[in-house]
Amino acid sequence: MADTDTLCEWSISGMDCGSCAGKIRDAVGGLPGVSEVSVTTMNERLRLRLDETQTGRERVEAVVRALGFGITERDKAPGAAAGVQPAVPALAPRWFQTAKGRLVILTGLLLAAAWALKLLVPGPLGGWGFVVACVLGVAPVAQRAWAALRLGQPFTIESLMTLAAAGALLIGAAEEAALVVFLFAVGELLEGVAADRARNGIRALSDLVPRTALLETPAGTREVAAETLAIGQVVLVRPGDRIPADGEIAEGTGGIDESPVTGESLPVTRGPGDSVFAGAINAESVLRIRVTREASDNTIARIIRLVEEAEEARAPTERFIDRFSRWYMPLVVALAVLVMVVPPLATGAPWDEWIYRGLALLLIGCPCALVISVPAAVASALAAGTRRGLLIKGGAVIEAAAGLRSVAFDKTGTLTRGRPEVTDVVALAALDEPGVLRLAAAVEAGSSHPLAQAVLRRAEGMALPEVAEARSIPGKGVSATVEGRRLTVANPRHAAAAGALPPDAAEAAATLEAAGKTVAVLFDTDAALGLIAFRDEPRADAAAAIAQVRALGLAPVILTGDNQRTAAAIVGALGADYRAELLPEDKLAAIRELAAGGGVMMVGDGINDAPALKQADVGVAMGSGTDVALETADAAILRDRAADVAALIRLSRAAMRNIRQNVAIALGLKAVFLVTTVLGITGLWIAILADTGATVLVTLNALRLLGFGGGREG
């Protein structure tokens, strides 16, 4: 890469399918000084590296416009500010405002005028109206065909359409030629409308973040553009308003509707210190929120970027079809030439008849429907998943997830809540359970240890006594002076070593530990006062998640670093196989072993499980929009629900079924009409319907995925 290379991005309008993207990619990629060309259809983006000493940006734009597409630099596109690039235009034009819409109106009016002329002026003169209609209607198509030819692309649908129309005029089929031109324009318009519907999922994401925010300043509250908010600023969010930025609540408590971001239907209660997403809805009370991310880096912006990048991660099936289509069109063109020439020369058959059949074959030669069959389904699946909190990074991930044989779950933070909770309080000596909890919470009040925090959560609302001389005992516990006596909260081994754990207390502690729980002992200088047991409890949907994975015909296995006893107590109840006492490198080895039997998915928290996530065929990170969940693995469960793992697999399987249906539609229709055209059963206008009709059918079939509900069908 030269030092003069610049990364450039443009927004492209008018792309309807993979063939459109291919034309731009091939044409622009042939310019000197251009490298790393990436064109994505659904978000209408052209990205490349450009050596402007060899080719200027104006030349790139001129080439794209010559092919019949609109182009605007991304930093000049509407809505581009503060580093936030719109994924798609903020508002799509109405169909009659587009170039393809205008072509439909023009060709339709010309065709109607030609038919009127034929009725009013009988004889040969009346037929000239169709010649004029055909020539004027095909002119813009021929212009694009000529531009593509000059750029080294002879086999495009525009060139085939132009040849077919010209040939039909030469053999005297002007009326049918004019009808074919009109049907071609209608088909292209329908492709554009269908493609724009597929983009609505991404466009809806862009619209989630409000345009303005109420910023608190020393002079009072004032309305500012949300994209200008800086880290550390405080915004006021009223009930019913959308949150304008990623941040944390500085003041206020209330329900937050996160469904626009995560798909979770029920509001969640958030209070001071809790994180909130841009685009979520404040459902209840006034909140003051401190901004923690700039607009260009908020959760919505990152999801949009990842969805855009996901479109570039093409599935193996898509890459194969792309290679196949490159020789499919030339092959059909060669077949059309043979059909035109061989029968008249070999058998003396009428030239007009066989030229007509060959021209019809040309129209069948466009692979648009085949090329779009995979990316349309993938784009719809990505949009459907994103709306339901399932972020999938591309078609390759979808294809891999559809072919899994097993699913490996990390335990902590994935199938469990990821933080210990107090499960049992056992009073010894003269105390009762609340008394034990009250004294233990007082001792633990200054500690940030997870077990201490669990005790404090359980004791929330209790009046705690004053504490003096608190100190930590590394690796053992905490001690402090409470109500005039020295109290310690420590593990049973330390309590026993201190002579404060009588046999009955030791037996009770052992019973709790046998149930997979961690035990802490509250004791003074003489004896134990009580036992507190902790456990990282399974999520409410953990058992259902395992059951759903098994119902899909996959083998679930749980990987954990816990000891065998704890693993058996917690994991065994979930109804899955498990492997315990695993270090990160052991998890990596386990994934490799599972992968030997077929595709394997690893589901973890995306931090300590990173090696296993990367090793798996599909790595899925849990987490409600965290950096790790969004950027580490191949997919992320934004709602942080274990049961969504099965939904992700079902969506991937539905997408692959849709792709197979699309390929069958595209190839099946072309095969049928290829035979009927050669036999003379169908003609030009049926051939163009077969081509554009197949493209529209494939796109509409792909759009069905937008209605995916995540149900339990396999």
Side-chain angles (χ1 to χ4, degrees):
M1 185 175 67
D3 294 338
T4 54
D5 285 1
T6 305
L7 183 63
C8 305
E9 283 193 25
W10 287 270
S11 292
I12 308 293
S13 60
M15 291 193 298
D16 303 329
C17 66
S19 291
C20 299
K23 289 176 197 173
I24 297 173
R25 189 184 305 113
D26 293 343
V28 172
L31 297 174
V34 173
S35 60
E36 299 180 22
V37 180
S38 168
V39 184
T40 49
T41 307
M42 285 302 109
N43 57 21
E44 301 177 295
R45 183 187 65 196
L46 165 63
R47 176 188 289 168
L48 52 81
R49 287 201 172 274
L50 181 64
D51 182 353
E52 297 191 61
T53 62
Q54 299 185 57
T55 298
R57 299 186 187 209
E58 298 80 8
R59 173 60 178 154
V60 173
E61 293 174 3
V63 166
V64 173
R65 289 193 183 99
L67 293 172
F69 303 100
I71 180 169
T72 309
E73 279 194 69
R74 281 229 160 180
D75 57 0
K76 297 177 183 177
V84 183
Q85 304 296 349
V88 291
L91 182 64
R94 304 289 295 274
W95 71 268
F96 51 82
Q97 296 173 320
T98 65
K100 292 178 180 179
R102 290 192 293 270
L103 182 60
V104 167
I105 295 171
L106 171 65
T107 54
L109 290 175
L110 289 171
L111 189 59
W115 270 322
L117 181 63
K118 183 179 180 180
L119 291 173
L120 294 173
V121 185
L125 186 61
W128 278 98
F130 293 106
V131 175
V132 174
C134 178
V135 171
L136 293 179
V138 86
V141 180
Q143 185 179 12
R144 299 205 305 268
W146 174 246
L149 181 64
R150 292 176 58 194
L151 293 168
Q153 300 179 41
F155 298 109
T156 64
I157 182 58
E158 289 82 8
S159 62
L160 298 185
M161 184 65 229
T162 303
L163 287 174
L169 290 177
L170 289 175
I171 62 174
E175 183 173 353
E176 194 165 3
L179 177 60
V180 165
V181 170
F182 172 69
L183 291 175
F184 172 77
V186 171
E188 288 229 304
L189 176 64
L190 290 176
E191 290 174 19
V193 171
D196 194 59
R197 282 194 61 192
R199 294 186 183 107
N200 285 341
I202 301 175
R203 185 177 291 114
L205 281 175
S206 303
D207 294 339
L208 285 179
V209 181
R211 304 298 180 196
T212 61
L214 294 176
L215 176 65
E216 291 193 348
T217 68
T221 302
R222 62 187 177 91
E223 189 173 68
V224 300
E227 61 197 16
T228 64
L229 293 175
I231 295 173
Q233 291 182 324
V234 176
V235 294
L236 190 71
V237 183
R238 298 165 300 190
D241 287 351
R242 289 187 184 272
I243 295 171
D246 280 11
E248 64 178 22
I249 297 176
E251 184 180 309
T253 300
I256 304 294
D257 178 3
E258 298 178 345
S259 60
V261 183
T262 67
E264 179 59 67
S265 58
L266 297 177
V268 292
T269 301
R270 303 287 190 214
D274 289 338
S275 297
V276 291
F277 306 130
I281 301 170
N282 177 20
E284 294 178 355
S285 58
V286 175
L287 300 176
R288 297 176 64 248
I289 296 175
R290 184 174 294 104
V291 177
T292 58
R293 289 186 183 276
E294 295 179 350
S296 60
D297 195 38
N298 66 35
T299 299
I300 298 296
R302 284 181 290 148
I303 290 175
I304 291 173
R305 281 199 299 271
L306 289 169
V307 171
E308 289 182 342
E309 292 166 7
E311 194 183 343
E312 298 177 21
R314 300 196 298 167
T317 301
E318 182 179 352
R319 291 195 294 269
F320 170 77
I321 288 177
D322 192 42
R323 292 193 301 269
F324 172 77
S325 66
R326 291 182 182 275
W327 61 262
Y328 168 80
M329 186 183 289
L331 182 64
V332 174
V333 171
L335 179 61
V337 172
L338 291 176
V339 167
M340 292 180 191
V341 174
V342 172
L345 292 179
T347 66
W351 280 94
D352 286 1
E353 178 183 338
W354 288 96
I355 289 175
Y356 179 87
R357 296 184 187 184
L359 293 175
L361 271 183
L362 284 179
L363 299 180
I364 298 174
C366 177
C368 281
L370 185 62
V371 170
I372 201 175
S373 60
V374 178
V378 168
S380 294
L382 293 178
T386 302
R387 287 210 305 267
R388 289 159 179 78
L390 307 174
L391 186 62
I392 307 171
K393 298 184 181 180
V397 178
I398 287 175
E399 190 160 338
L404 297 172
R405 298 292 298 277
S406 59
V407 179
F409 291 89
D410 170 54
K411 179 185 74 69
T412 304
T414 301
L415 292 176
T416 64
R417 296 188 178 94
R419 65 180 189 180
E421 299 291 348
V422 174
T423 59
D424 302 88
V425 178
V426 179
L428 304 173
L431 291 176
D432 57 9
E433 291 184 10
V436 172
L437 199 58
R438 172 177 167 275
L439 293 177
V443 175
E444 300 274 26
S447 175
S448 60
H449 191 279
L451 297 184
Q453 294 300 308
V455 171
L456 292 171
R457 284 194 299 273
R458 182 65 174 269
E460 189 173 358
M462 288 186 174
L464 302 183
E466 291 188 6
V467 177
E469 300 177 359
R471 66 183 180 89
S472 173
I473 308 172
K476 297 176 181 178
V478 181
S479 69
T481 299
V482 181
E483 295 180 340
R485 54 179 173 173
R486 193 69 184 174
L487 299 180
T488 301
V489 178
N491 60 55
R493 286 170 296 284
H494 179 62
L501 193 65
D504 59 336
E507 184 178 348
T511 301
L512 291 169
E513 288 179 333
K517 300 174 183 179
T518 299
V519 178
V521 182
L522 171 68
F523 61 94
D524 60 15
T525 53
D526 298 321
L529 304 177
L531 306 177
I532 302 175
F534 308 83
R535 192 163 70 180
D536 183 12
E537 293 292 277
R539 294 173 182 265
D541 65 338
I546 296 296
Q548 289 184 38
V549 167
R550 197 183 297 280
L552 290 171
L554 305 177
V557 60
I558 300 171
L559 309 179
T560 177
D562 288 343
N563 59 55
Q564 288 287 348
R565 185 170 58 185
T566 301
I570 299 177
V571 175
L574 297 178
D577 294 334
Y578 65 90
R579 302 185 187 186
E581 301 181 11
L582 300 181
L583 298 174
E585 54 267 31
D586 298 323
K587 290 184 179 180
L588 183 62
I591 292 296
R592 286 174 177 161
E593 180 184 334
L594 291 169
V600 58
M601 173 186 283
M602 173 65 190
V603 187
D605 61 14
I607 303 173
N608 59 341
D609 298 312
L613 288 169
K614 289 297 182 184
Q615 179 65 39
D617 295 276
V618 180
V620 178
M622 302 289 289
S624 300
T626 62
D627 286 342
V628 171
L630 289 175
E631 296 166 12
T632 300
D634 302 309
I637 305 295
L638 300 185
R639 292 193 292 192
D640 216 24
R641 296 196 329 192
D644 279 351
V645 172
L648 189 152
I649 296 170
R650 284 193 291 269
L651 175 59
S652 298
R653 290 183 177 183
M656 291 309 298
R657 283 197 302 272
N658 194 282
I659 286 170
R660 288 190 289 270
Q661 292 165 0
N662 283 348
V663 171
I665 291 171
L667 290 179
L669 282 176
K670 288 187 180 295
V672 168
F673 285 103
L674 188 148
V675 173
T676 58
T677 299
V678 172
L679 295 177
I681 300 172
T682 54
L684 283 172
W685 70 276
I686 292 292
I688 196 66
L689 281 180
D691 174 63
T692 57
T695 304
V696 172
L697 283 176
V698 161
T699 306
L700 292 177
N701 187 49
L703 290 176
R704 291 192 307 112
L705 287 170
L706 294 175
F708 174 80
R712 298 195 177 191
E713 69 279 0

